[in-house]
Amino acid sequence: MPPRPDSGIRPLFAPLLRSGTPLAVCVAAALYACGGNDADLASIDERLSGGETTVFDDTSGSYKRPAANLDDDALRAFSLGDHLFNRGWVTAPASIPGGDGLGPTFNANNCSSCHSKSGNGGPPDAAGEPFLSLLLRLSIPGVGPHGAPNPEPSYGEQFNSRGISGVPGEGHERVRYVDVSGTYGDGTPYTLRKPVYSFEDLAFGPMDVATMVSPRLARPVFGLGLLETIPEEAILAKADPDDADHNGISGRPNRVWSVRKQAMVLGRVGWKANQPNVEQQTAGAFLGDMGITSSLFPEENCPSTQVACLAAPTGVTAGSPAGTGELSEADLDALNRWGKTLGVPARRDVDDPQVRAGQALFKSAGCVQCHADEALTGNDPEFPALSNQRIHPYSDLLLHDMGEGLADGRPDFEANGSEWRTPPLWGIGLLSTVNKHNFLLHDGRARGFAEAILWHDGEAAGARETFRAMSARERDAIVRFLQSL
């Protein structure tokens, strides 16, 4: 029998064969050897959410595996970054060089405190519970440098409840939930919960009366390198800021400041696409969450009112050049390489009839107009494993107006107070397995897929209403489809 024409399919079998999963190996090998049929090949392709980077692991460790197609050098770099992501950082000066510089104010002392197993954080589920992986951004009207948010004068851009010895934390954040009742089209009642935030024991006096507060739940960090590699023109091609298609969907890009390039560039990362890439997102989180400076953000997060913070010791070695940070360039590079080369979990149960039905309903409801199911990455010579991959992130990486119910009222570069970047959905079906909860949306208010959909408004109001009017069987099918991602 003549060999099957390649037609771009051959590379898709590589991660299946490397996964070691007997069923995957058998199916992939058999289909390739015997030619298979188009439906079988499409089914295999749908499992490969991250193209050749896809990881066949549906356990609690599925979010933290290296991309399946990394070579030995890339795996060594991944291991170093993984160590840095999970290590605890301490107050400067440390007895052993490296790993110091925590604070002066901070929220956590390591990355995995918020991103457990490289996954999704959960909000406080009741009044009085600590904010372990939900942070609160602060700003006042006006803009900061390069169009960034304008920090609150006494507390900065992020509320830090903890401080190192001799430095007071900024206070305590609190949340309570208000019930919001509704009814499905078939008469079935449901109850949503709306969070209300407040502050107690503020160490530096009341906040500005015009302070805007935006909650941000820690997002999973896998797959970000693939999203960074999608060509800019491909993302912009999906934008329709003036709704020229007259379909009510007007996605638009955010333009943000790149510290490396000293220029405004396309935002890709973060709840409002307010960071350009993995490296700057990582450096920003080190500063905001742990108080650790870097070459990208060399100044400590100490507003002028916080005297003890300003006087606290630094982890920067005496005599270091200006702009040197507590996080070394080598460590920042290792973290960037790790963050960019985490593998994406494979889809599961793609041939299940209920999953297939839910996938069709998801599409017919218009959800894919924002949660775009396919993209192609470009060519990145530095990261060949991420190059030229057909991926299924279920995001267009654009900003969409989600309505008043989800609005935080806080602009972030060109994103307004009711706009959010479409969050990728790949891997979301493993959330309860990895992180032991089902809290969704930017503040974790939704307790599962159905509640998350019901909070959609603005540009997504039509899709939400279609879902709300469906029968229970149809709604269950959509949820089952999302569980397969």
mmCIF file of all heavy atoms in Angstrom, residues 195-236:
data_model
loop_
_atom_site.group_PDB
_atom_site.id
_atom_site.type_symbol
_atom_site.label_atom_id
_atom_site.label_comp_id
_atom_site.label_asym_id
_atom_site.label_seq_id
_atom_site.Cartn_x
_atom_site.Cartn_y
_atom_site.Cartn_z
ATOM 1 N N PRO A 195 -19.631 39.439 44.290
ATOM 2 C CA PRO A 195 -18.718 39.818 45.366
ATOM 3 C C PRO A 195 -18.745 41.325 45.639
ATOM 4 O O PRO A 195 -18.889 42.134 44.728
ATOM 5 C CB PRO A 195 -17.346 39.397 44.834
ATOM 6 C CG PRO A 195 -17.484 39.465 43.347
ATOM 7 C CD PRO A 195 -18.917 39.134 43.037
ATOM 8 N N VAL A 196 -18.608 41.678 46.906
ATOM 9 C CA VAL A 196 -18.490 43.072 47.344
ATOM 10 C C VAL A 196 -17.225 43.165 48.191
ATOM 11 O O VAL A 196 -17.081 42.447 49.187
ATOM 12 C CB VAL A 196 -19.718 43.520 48.161
ATOM 13 C CG1 VAL A 196 -19.547 44.967 48.608
ATOM 14 C CG2 VAL A 196 -20.999 43.355 47.344
ATOM 15 N N TYR A 197 -16.307 44.048 47.802
ATOM 16 C CA TYR A 197 -15.001 44.134 48.455
ATOM 17 C C TYR A 197 -14.915 45.329 49.389
ATOM 18 O O TYR A 197 -15.535 46.376 49.160
ATOM 19 C CB TYR A 197 -13.887 44.214 47.399
ATOM 20 C CG TYR A 197 -13.827 42.980 46.530
ATOM 21 C CD1 TYR A 197 -14.482 42.944 45.306
ATOM 22 C CD2 TYR A 197 -13.158 41.837 46.956
ATOM 23 C CE1 TYR A 197 -14.470 41.804 44.512
ATOM 24 C CE2 TYR A 197 -13.129 40.696 46.177
ATOM 25 C CZ TYR A 197 -13.788 40.680 44.958
ATOM 26 O OH TYR A 197 -13.780 39.545 44.187
ATOM 27 N N SER A 198 -14.115 45.164 50.440
ATOM 28 C CA SER A 198 -13.883 46.250 51.394
ATOM 29 C C SER A 198 -12.502 46.066 52.014
ATOM 30 O O SER A 198 -11.854 45.017 51.830
ATOM 31 C CB SER A 198 -14.962 46.263 52.483
ATOM 32 O OG SER A 198 -14.962 45.039 53.197
ATOM 33 N N PHE A 199 -12.051 47.091 52.737
ATOM 34 C CA PHE A 199 -10.747 47.060 53.386
ATOM 35 C C PHE A 199 -10.902 47.380 54.865
ATOM 36 O O PHE A 199 -11.779 48.162 55.251
ATOM 37 C CB PHE A 199 -9.791 48.063 52.736
ATOM 38 C CG PHE A 199 -9.527 47.803 51.285
ATOM 39 C CD1 PHE A 199 -10.285 48.424 50.297
ATOM 40 C CD2 PHE A 199 -8.530 46.926 50.895
ATOM 41 C CE1 PHE A 199 -10.055 48.185 48.957
ATOM 42 C CE2 PHE A 199 -8.296 46.676 49.546
ATOM 43 C CZ PHE A 199 -9.053 47.304 48.579
ATOM 44 N N GLU A 200 -10.048 46.769 55.676
ATOM 45 C CA GLU A 200 -10.051 47.025 57.109
ATOM 46 C C GLU A 200 -8.621 47.287 57.578
ATOM 47 O O GLU A 200 -7.653 46.837 56.969
ATOM 48 C CB GLU A 200 -10.621 45.822 57.879
ATOM 49 C CG GLU A 200 -12.068 45.512 57.574
ATOM 50 C CD GLU A 200 -12.564 44.275 58.316
ATOM 51 O OE1 GLU A 200 -11.732 43.634 59.016
ATOM 52 O OE2 GLU A 200 -13.751 43.941 58.189
ATOM 53 N N ASP A 201 -8.511 48.019 58.693
ATOM 54 C CA ASP A 201 -7.210 48.245 59.349
ATOM 55 C C ASP A 201 -6.184 48.826 58.389
ATOM 56 O O ASP A 201 -5.001 48.421 58.383
ATOM 57 C CB ASP A 201 -6.672 46.932 59.939
ATOM 58 C CG ASP A 201 -7.678 46.245 60.848
ATOM 59 O OD1 ASP A 201 -8.335 46.946 61.635
ATOM 60 O OD2 ASP A 201 -7.809 45.009 60.755
ATOM 61 N N LEU A 202 -6.581 49.796 57.592
ATOM 62 C CA LEU A 202 -5.656 50.412 56.641
ATOM 63 C C LEU A 202 -4.531 51.124 57.386
ATOM 64 O O LEU A 202 -4.773 51.969 58.250
ATOM 65 C CB LEU A 202 -6.400 51.380 55.731
ATOM 66 C CG LEU A 202 -7.361 50.735 54.725
ATOM 67 C CD1 LEU A 202 -8.157 51.792 53.982
ATOM 68 C CD2 LEU A 202 -6.597 49.850 53.736
ATOM 69 N N ALA A 203 -3.301 50.769 57.053
ATOM 70 C CA ALA A 203 -2.144 51.246 57.808
ATOM 71 C C ALA A 203 -1.760 52.678 57.478
ATOM 72 O O ALA A 203 -1.047 53.319 58.262
ATOM 73 C CB ALA A 203 -0.949 50.322 57.557
ATOM 74 N N PHE A 204 -2.199 53.211 56.353
ATOM 75 C CA PHE A 204 -1.738 54.527 55.920
ATOM 76 C C PHE A 204 -2.910 55.465 55.634
ATOM 77 O O PHE A 204 -2.842 56.316 54.752
ATOM 78 C CB PHE A 204 -0.822 54.383 54.700
ATOM 79 C CG PHE A 204 0.322 53.443 54.951
ATOM 80 C CD1 PHE A 204 0.276 52.139 54.481
ATOM 81 C CD2 PHE A 204 1.409 53.836 55.725
ATOM 82 C CE1 PHE A 204 1.312 51.254 54.747
ATOM 83 C CE2 PHE A 204 2.444 52.957 56.000
ATOM 84 C CZ PHE A 204 2.404 51.663 55.513
ATOM 85 N N GLY A 205 -3.958 55.272 56.391
ATOM 86 C CA GLY A 205 -5.099 56.153 56.279
ATOM 87 C C GLY A 205 -6.049 55.734 55.178
ATOM 88 O O GLY A 205 -5.797 54.773 54.442
ATOM 89 N N PRO A 206 -7.147 56.445 55.048
ATOM 90 C CA PRO A 206 -8.142 56.093 54.030
ATOM 91 C C PRO A 206 -7.569 56.203 52.628
ATOM 92 O O PRO A 206 -6.688 57.025 52.347
ATOM 93 C CB PRO A 206 -9.245 57.130 54.251
ATOM 94 C CG PRO A 206 -9.021 57.671 55.615
ATOM 95 C CD PRO A 206 -7.544 57.613 55.859
ATOM 96 N N MET A 207 -8.092 55.375 51.739
ATOM 97 C CA MET A 207 -7.731 55.486 50.331
ATOM 98 C C MET A 207 -8.416 56.699 49.728
ATOM 99 O O MET A 207 -9.386 57.225 50.267
ATOM 100 C CB MET A 207 -8.161 54.226 49.563
ATOM 101 C CG MET A 207 -7.404 52.991 49.933
ATOM 102 S SD MET A 207 -7.906 51.594 48.870
ATOM 103 C CE MET A 207 -6.980 50.271 49.659
ATOM 104 N N ASP A 208 -7.891 57.150 48.606
ATOM 105 C CA ASP A 208 -8.530 58.215 47.841
ATOM 106 C C ASP A 208 -9.999 57.840 47.593
ATOM 107 O O ASP A 208 -10.307 56.694 47.266
ATOM 108 C CB ASP A 208 -7.785 58.396 46.519
ATOM 109 C CG ASP A 208 -8.229 59.621 45.747
ATOM 110 O OD1 ASP A 208 -9.384 59.614 45.267
ATOM 111 O OD2 ASP A 208 -7.434 60.564 45.604
ATOM 112 N N VAL A 209 -10.886 58.804 47.727
ATOM 113 C CA VAL A 209 -12.318 58.517 47.592
ATOM 114 C C VAL A 209 -12.673 58.030 46.183
ATOM 115 O O VAL A 209 -13.716 57.408 45.987
ATOM 116 C CB VAL A 209 -13.166 59.758 47.950
ATOM 117 C CG1 VAL A 209 -13.015 60.100 49.419
ATOM 118 C CG2 VAL A 209 -12.793 60.938 47.070
ATOM 119 N N ALA A 210 -11.824 58.320 45.220
ATOM 120 C CA ALA A 210 -12.097 57.918 43.834
ATOM 121 C C ALA A 210 -11.405 56.604 43.464
ATOM 122 O O ALA A 210 -11.355 56.240 42.286
ATOM 123 C CB ALA A 210 -11.655 59.014 42.873
ATOM 124 N N THR A 211 -10.880 55.873 44.464
ATOM 125 C CA THR A 211 -10.135 54.652 44.184
ATOM 126 C C THR A 211 -10.989 53.616 43.466
ATOM 127 O O THR A 211 -12.121 53.331 43.856
ATOM 128 C CB THR A 211 -9.582 54.044 45.486
ATOM 129 O OG1 THR A 211 -8.670 54.969 46.081
ATOM 130 C CG2 THR A 211 -8.849 52.737 45.205
ATOM 131 N N MET A 212 -10.424 53.047 42.409
ATOM 132 C CA MET A 212 -11.051 51.953 41.667
ATOM 133 C C MET A 212 -10.352 50.652 42.046
ATOM 134 O O MET A 212 -9.118 50.596 42.091
ATOM 135 C CB MET A 212 -10.936 52.197 40.162
ATOM 136 C CG MET A 212 -11.682 53.451 39.696
ATOM 137 S SD MET A 212 -11.330 53.899 37.969
ATOM 138 C CE MET A 212 -9.711 54.683 38.140
ATOM 139 N N VAL A 213 -11.120 49.633 42.347
ATOM 140 C CA VAL A 213 -10.589 48.351 42.812
ATOM 141 C C VAL A 213 -10.923 47.270 41.800
ATOM 142 O O VAL A 213 -12.080 47.115 41.398
ATOM 143 C CB VAL A 213 -11.177 47.980 44.189
ATOM 144 C CG1 VAL A 213 -10.634 46.631 44.655
ATOM 145 C CG2 VAL A 213 -10.884 49.067 45.217
ATOM 146 N N SER A 214 -9.919 46.517 41.382
ATOM 147 C CA SER A 214 -10.145 45.434 40.422
ATOM 148 C C SER A 214 -9.583 44.134 40.960
ATOM 149 O O SER A 214 -8.368 43.989 41.124
ATOM 150 C CB SER A 214 -9.486 45.741 39.073
ATOM 151 O OG SER A 214 -9.724 44.687 38.157
ATOM 152 N N PRO A 215 -10.440 43.157 41.252
ATOM 153 C CA PRO A 215 -9.963 41.842 41.693
ATOM 154 C C PRO A 215 -9.413 41.049 40.512
ATOM 155 O O PRO A 215 -9.965 41.083 39.412
ATOM 156 C CB PRO A 215 -11.222 41.185 42.261
ATOM 157 C CG PRO A 215 -12.338 41.835 41.523
ATOM 158 C CD PRO A 215 -11.909 43.238 41.213
ATOM 159 N N ARG A 216 -8.321 40.337 40.742
ATOM 160 C CA ARG A 216 -7.702 39.523 39.695
ATOM 161 C C ARG A 216 -7.315 38.169 40.279
ATOM 162 O O ARG A 216 -6.430 38.076 41.139
ATOM 163 C CB ARG A 216 -6.453 40.207 39.125
ATOM 164 C CG ARG A 216 -6.662 41.647 38.633
ATOM 165 C CD ARG A 216 -7.412 41.703 37.323
ATOM 166 N NE ARG A 216 -7.647 43.079 36.893
ATOM 167 C CZ ARG A 216 -6.798 43.796 36.165
ATOM 168 N NH1 ARG A 216 -5.647 43.276 35.797
ATOM 169 N NH2 ARG A 216 -7.109 45.028 35.808
ATOM 170 N N LEU A 217 -7.965 37.121 39.827
ATOM 171 C CA LEU A 217 -7.666 35.769 40.274
ATOM 172 C C LEU A 217 -6.455 35.238 39.510
ATOM 173 O O LEU A 217 -6.305 35.493 38.316
ATOM 174 C CB LEU A 217 -8.877 34.869 40.010
ATOM 175 C CG LEU A 217 -8.946 33.522 40.716
ATOM 176 C CD1 LEU A 217 -9.064 33.716 42.220
ATOM 177 C CD2 LEU A 217 -10.127 32.719 40.182
ATOM 178 N N ALA A 218 -5.590 34.501 40.198
ATOM 179 C CA ALA A 218 -4.421 33.906 39.548
ATOM 180 C C ALA A 218 -4.863 32.956 38.444
ATOM 181 O O ALA A 218 -5.691 32.073 38.662
ATOM 182 C CB ALA A 218 -3.577 33.160 40.577
ATOM 183 N N ARG A 219 -4.319 33.153 37.247
ATOM 184 C CA ARG A 219 -4.669 32.345 36.087
ATOM 185 C C ARG A 219 -3.696 31.180 35.928
ATOM 186 O O ARG A 219 -2.549 31.253 36.361
ATOM 187 C CB ARG A 219 -4.583 33.199 34.810
ATOM 188 C CG ARG A 219 -5.691 34.197 34.632
ATOM 189 C CD ARG A 219 -6.935 33.578 34.063
ATOM 190 N NE ARG A 219 -6.664 32.888 32.797
ATOM 191 C CZ ARG A 219 -7.443 31.925 32.296
ATOM 192 N NH1 ARG A 219 -8.499 31.522 32.951
ATOM 193 N NH2 ARG A 219 -7.154 31.363 31.133
ATOM 194 N N PRO A 220 -4.112 30.078 35.271
ATOM 195 C CA PRO A 220 -3.144 29.043 34.895
ATOM 196 C C PRO A 220 -2.071 29.635 33.997
ATOM 197 O O PRO A 220 -2.345 30.554 33.216
ATOM 198 C CB PRO A 220 -4.006 28.022 34.134
ATOM 199 C CG PRO A 220 -5.404 28.275 34.577
ATOM 200 C CD PRO A 220 -5.485 29.750 34.853
ATOM 201 N N VAL A 221 -0.865 29.110 34.092
ATOM 202 C CA VAL A 221 0.238 29.706 33.346
ATOM 203 C C VAL A 221 0.686 28.875 32.143
ATOM 204 O O VAL A 221 1.571 29.301 31.401
ATOM 205 C CB VAL A 221 1.446 29.974 34.275
ATOM 206 C CG1 VAL A 221 1.113 31.067 35.269
ATOM 207 C CG2 VAL A 221 1.876 28.721 35.026
ATOM 208 N N PHE A 222 0.087 27.701 31.927
ATOM 209 C CA PHE A 222 0.496 26.901 30.774
ATOM 210 C C PHE A 222 -0.045 27.513 29.475
ATOM 211 O O PHE A 222 -1.056 28.209 29.465
ATOM 212 C CB PHE A 222 -0.003 25.457 30.914
ATOM 213 C CG PHE A 222 -1.502 25.321 30.964
ATOM 214 C CD1 PHE A 222 -2.253 25.311 29.803
ATOM 215 C CD2 PHE A 222 -2.171 25.215 32.169
ATOM 216 C CE1 PHE A 222 -3.636 25.197 29.834
ATOM 217 C CE2 PHE A 222 -3.551 25.099 32.222
ATOM 218 C CZ PHE A 222 -4.285 25.084 31.053
ATOM 219 N N GLY A 223 0.679 27.249 28.382
ATOM 220 C CA GLY A 223 0.224 27.670 27.059
ATOM 221 C C GLY A 223 0.527 29.105 26.697
ATOM 222 O O GLY A 223 0.260 29.526 25.561
ATOM 223 N N LEU A 224 1.095 29.879 27.630
ATOM 224 C CA LEU A 224 1.298 31.300 27.345
ATOM 225 C C LEU A 224 2.323 31.536 26.233
ATOM 226 O O LEU A 224 2.217 32.498 25.479
ATOM 227 C CB LEU A 224 1.741 32.027 28.618
ATOM 228 C CG LEU A 224 0.735 32.055 29.766
ATOM 229 C CD1 LEU A 224 1.307 32.822 30.954
ATOM 230 C CD2 LEU A 224 -0.586 32.667 29.318
ATOM 231 N N GLY A 225 3.314 30.652 26.144
ATOM 232 C CA GLY A 225 4.302 30.813 25.088
ATOM 233 C C GLY A 225 3.692 30.657 23.703
ATOM 234 O O GLY A 225 4.073 31.358 22.759
ATOM 235 N N LEU A 226 2.737 29.742 23.574
ATOM 236 C CA LEU A 226 2.052 29.582 22.291
ATOM 237 C C LEU A 226 1.258 30.824 21.938
ATOM 238 O O LEU A 226 1.270 31.285 20.786
ATOM 239 C CB LEU A 226 1.133 28.363 22.351
ATOM 240 C CG LEU A 226 1.818 27.001 22.447
ATOM 241 C CD1 LEU A 226 0.811 25.920 22.821
ATOM 242 C CD2 LEU A 226 2.519 26.646 21.134
ATOM 243 N N LEU A 227 0.558 31.394 22.930
ATOM 244 C CA LEU A 227 -0.217 32.608 22.671
ATOM 245 C C LEU A 227 0.696 33.761 22.282
ATOM 246 O O LEU A 227 0.332 34.599 21.445
ATOM 247 C CB LEU A 227 -1.033 32.976 23.905
ATOM 248 C CG LEU A 227 -2.027 31.927 24.407
ATOM 249 C CD1 LEU A 227 -2.781 32.451 25.622
ATOM 250 C CD2 LEU A 227 -3.002 31.528 23.303
ATOM 251 N N GLU A 228 1.877 33.814 22.873
ATOM 252 C CA GLU A 228 2.832 34.869 22.544
ATOM 253 C C GLU A 228 3.373 34.721 21.130
ATOM 254 O O GLU A 228 3.805 35.706 20.513
ATOM 255 C CB GLU A 228 3.986 34.842 23.557
ATOM 256 C CG GLU A 228 4.957 35.985 23.436
ATOM 257 C CD GLU A 228 6.053 35.937 24.494
ATOM 258 O OE1 GLU A 228 5.768 35.502 25.635
ATOM 259 O OE2 GLU A 228 7.191 36.344 24.179
ATOM 260 N N THR A 229 3.334 33.497 20.599
ATOM 261 C CA THR A 229 3.920 33.214 19.296
ATOM 262 C C THR A 229 2.932 33.393 18.152
ATOM 263 O O THR A 229 3.314 33.384 16.978
ATOM 264 C CB THR A 229 4.499 31.779 19.289
ATOM 265 O OG1 THR A 229 5.293 31.588 20.467
ATOM 266 C CG2 THR A 229 5.395 31.531 18.095
ATOM 267 N N ILE A 230 1.639 33.566 18.446
ATOM 268 C CA ILE A 230 0.661 33.822 17.379
ATOM 269 C C ILE A 230 1.011 35.154 16.705
ATOM 270 O O ILE A 230 1.206 36.158 17.386
ATOM 271 C CB ILE A 230 -0.767 33.885 17.948
ATOM 272 C CG1 ILE A 230 -1.160 32.552 18.583
ATOM 273 C CG2 ILE A 230 -1.770 34.257 16.848
ATOM 274 C CD1 ILE A 230 -2.488 32.595 19.314
ATOM 275 N N PRO A 231 1.124 35.206 15.407
ATOM 276 C CA PRO A 231 1.485 36.467 14.741
ATOM 277 C C PRO A 231 0.488 37.583 15.069
ATOM 278 O O PRO A 231 -0.726 37.349 15.143
ATOM 279 C CB PRO A 231 1.436 36.114 13.255
ATOM 280 C CG PRO A 231 1.681 34.632 13.206
ATOM 281 C CD PRO A 231 1.010 34.091 14.436
ATOM 282 N N GLU A 232 0.997 38.779 15.269
ATOM 283 C CA GLU A 232 0.146 39.912 15.610
ATOM 284 C C GLU A 232 -0.934 40.144 14.556
ATOM 285 O O GLU A 232 -2.089 40.432 14.894
ATOM 286 C CB GLU A 232 0.994 41.173 15.783
ATOM 287 C CG GLU A 232 0.181 42.409 16.124
ATOM 288 C CD GLU A 232 1.046 43.613 16.470
ATOM 289 O OE1 GLU A 232 2.200 43.419 16.916
ATOM 290 O OE2 GLU A 232 0.562 44.754 16.292
ATOM 291 N N GLU A 233 -0.564 39.994 13.296
ATOM 292 C CA GLU A 233 -1.548 40.261 12.244
ATOM 293 C C GLU A 233 -2.715 39.276 12.302
ATOM 294 O O GLU A 233 -3.849 39.615 11.934
ATOM 295 C CB GLU A 233 -0.896 40.228 10.860
ATOM 296 C CG GLU A 233 -0.187 38.941 10.497
ATOM 297 C CD GLU A 233 1.294 38.916 10.897
ATOM 298 O OE1 GLU A 233 1.670 39.697 11.798
ATOM 299 O OE2 GLU A 233 2.047 38.137 10.286
ATOM 300 N N ALA A 234 -2.457 38.059 12.779
ATOM 301 C CA ALA A 234 -3.539 37.075 12.902
ATOM 302 C C ALA A 234 -4.513 37.473 13.999
ATOM 303 O O ALA A 234 -5.728 37.273 13.873
ATOM 304 C CB ALA A 234 -2.956 35.694 13.177
ATOM 305 N N ILE A 235 -4.007 38.036 15.085
ATOM 306 C CA ILE A 235 -4.874 38.497 16.174
ATOM 307 C C ILE A 235 -5.675 39.716 15.722
ATOM 308 O O ILE A 235 -6.891 39.796 15.920
ATOM 309 C CB ILE A 235 -4.032 38.818 17.423
ATOM 310 C CG1 ILE A 235 -3.344 37.548 17.936
ATOM 311 C CG2 ILE A 235 -4.896 39.453 18.515
ATOM 312 C CD1 ILE A 235 -2.358 37.786 19.056
ATOM 313 N N LEU A 236 -4.991 40.660 15.089
ATOM 314 C CA LEU A 236 -5.671 41.881 14.651
ATOM 315 C C LEU A 236 -6.715 41.600 13.574
ATOM 316 O O LEU A 236 -7.694 42.340 13.449
ATOM 317 C CB LEU A 236 -4.639 42.884 14.144
ATOM 318 C CG LEU A 236 -3.625 43.384 15.182
ATOM 319 C CD1 LEU A 236 -2.663 44.381 14.551
ATOM 320 C CD2 LEU A 236 -4.331 43.997 16.375
#
